[in-house]
């Protein structure tokens, strides 16, 4: 199937999952994960109406953004080193993977100095506790949010997670539910300037379950672009 066909199929599945869980389809946005795929395929997807693209690597994101002339929104969805943040202002509209105060401080500094603007970020939480995954712990998430909140040039919009890989997407459900519950707990703290409106969770194999548990951003790559 073509990229256009794949995108249409994914959107149909998103709409069905929203209907099954009593949600408006407009409450879920698709992040097309284009890592390791050429800019030409991003342009092809954009031509069908896809607007948000996620990249895992800073250099690849910067290179692709320079090649594209069509208006798209870039989200940084991979682990981010503080020394690479300087390349992102003016290119990315959201960073999903903020897992430590020092990274948030560097984002704040770069957006202040280069744009005099605010960067939307998500706090990444390692709900599974896997040592191979980045993210703050559930126990430390609230303290991290409190520490980041006063920074004037970043704005926390919600949380992000990656559950363990399962062949059965139902096995990922408890991790998605845990992230939603954590977001609710943080929201109830009513920390000034903090929004918990976005939950970035769910990928090609489990995004429908993630939507049922409250995802607002689903990160889908393979089901759109094929194997890398």
């Amino acid at each position: 199937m073509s990229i256009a066909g794949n995108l249409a199929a994914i959107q149909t599945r998103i709409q069905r999952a929203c209907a099954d869980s009593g949600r408006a389809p407009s409450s879920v946005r698709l992040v097309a994960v284009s890592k390791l795929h050429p800019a030409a395929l991003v342009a092809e997807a954009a031509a069908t109406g896809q607007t948000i693209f996620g990249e895992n690597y800073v250099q690849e994101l910067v290179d692709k953004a320079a090649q594209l002339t069509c208006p798209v929104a870039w989200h940084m969805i991979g682990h981010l080193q503080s020394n690479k943040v300087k390349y992102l202002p003016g290119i990315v509209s959201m960073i999903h993977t903020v897992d430590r105060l020092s990274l948030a401080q560097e984002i704040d500094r770069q957006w202040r100095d280069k744009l005099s603007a605010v960067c939307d970020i998500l706090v990444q939480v390692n709900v599974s506790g896997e040592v191979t995954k980045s993210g703050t712990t559930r126990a430390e998430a609230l303290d991290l949010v409190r520490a980041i909140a006063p920074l004037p040039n970043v704005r926390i919009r919600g949380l992000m997670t990656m559950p363990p890989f399962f062949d059965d997407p139902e096995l990922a459900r408890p991790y998605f539910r845990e992230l939603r519950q954590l977001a609710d707990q943080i929201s109830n703290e009513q920390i000034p300037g903090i929004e918990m409106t976005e939950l970035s969770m769910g990928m090609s194999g489990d995004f429908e379950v993630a939507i049922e548990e409250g995802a607002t951003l689903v990160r889908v790559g393979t089901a759109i672009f094929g194997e890398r």
Side-chain angles (χ1 to χ4, degrees):
M1 190 180 289
S2 66
I3 286 177
N6 290 342
L7 280 165
I10 295 296
Q11 290 292 355
T12 296
R13 290 169 62 187
I14 289 174
Q15 292 169 13
R16 187 179 302 125
C18 287
D20 290 345
S21 50
R23 299 180 59 190
S26 59
S27 67
V28 179
R29 290 176 292 157
L30 172 62
V31 180
V33 180
S34 45
K35 74 171 183 178
L36 303 182
H37 291 289
L41 293 187
V42 175
E44 186 178 336
T48 73
Q50 176 60 29
T51 57
I52 306 174
F53 293 86
E55 286 287 338
N56 289 65
Y57 309 114
V58 170
Q59 190 58 56
E60 185 177 359
L61 191 160
V62 171
D63 289 346
K64 284 181 188 171
Q67 294 177 58
L68 289 182
T69 57
C70 50
V72 300
W74 294 101
H75 288 196
M76 181 67 195
I77 63 170
H79 179 71
L80 181 58
Q81 296 174 307
S82 294
N83 64 356
K84 298 288 183 68
V85 173
K86 61 188 176 185
Y87 300 109
L88 298 179
I91 298 177
V92 302
S93 58
M94 182 177 283
I95 298 173
H96 290 223
T97 50
V98 178
D99 59 1
R100 57 200 186 279
L101 178 59
S102 60
L103 176 58
Q105 290 170 329
E106 182 61 18
I107 295 168
D108 179 71
R109 182 163 43 249
Q110 293 293 338
W111 257 254
R112 179 195 67 206
D113 294 347
K114 294 183 177 176
L115 298 178
S116 296
V118 175
C119 180
D120 286 339
I121 66 170
L122 305 178
V123 169
Q124 182 176 4
V125 184
N126 183 357
V127 291
S128 67
E130 292 175 283
V131 295
T132 56
K133 286 191 169 69
S134 301
T136 188
T137 65
R138 173 165 184 159
E140 296 172 344
L142 178 57
D143 286 342
L144 179 58
V145 169
R146 289 190 187 281
I148 293 173
L151 297 175
N153 293 90
V154 297
R155 176 172 56 183
I156 296 176
R157 300 292 309 280
L159 305 178
M160 177 268 211
T161 199
M162 293 179 63
F165 174 78
F166 298 108
D167 289 328
D168 180 359
E170 279 297 326
L171 296 177
R173 188 182 295 276
Y175 300 94
F176 297 142
R177 183 170 296 165
E178 186 173 344
L179 192 75
R180 187 192 73 224
Q181 292 170 343
L182 178 60
D184 290 342
Q185 291 171 12
I186 294 172
S187 181
N188 288 338
E189 295 293 319
Q190 298 184 327
I191 303 166
I194 297 301
E195 302 175 17
M196 284 288 125
T197 54
E198 303 285 4
L199 289 178
S200 172
M201 58 188 192
M203 299 169 69
S204 288
D206 55 21
F207 69 85
E208 284 124 326
V209 171
I211 289 170
E212 291 169 5
E213 294 299 331
T216 65
L217 294 160
V218 292
R219 310 181 305 270
V220 179
T222 303
I224 297 170
F225 296 105
E227 297 292 337
R228 297 175 182 88

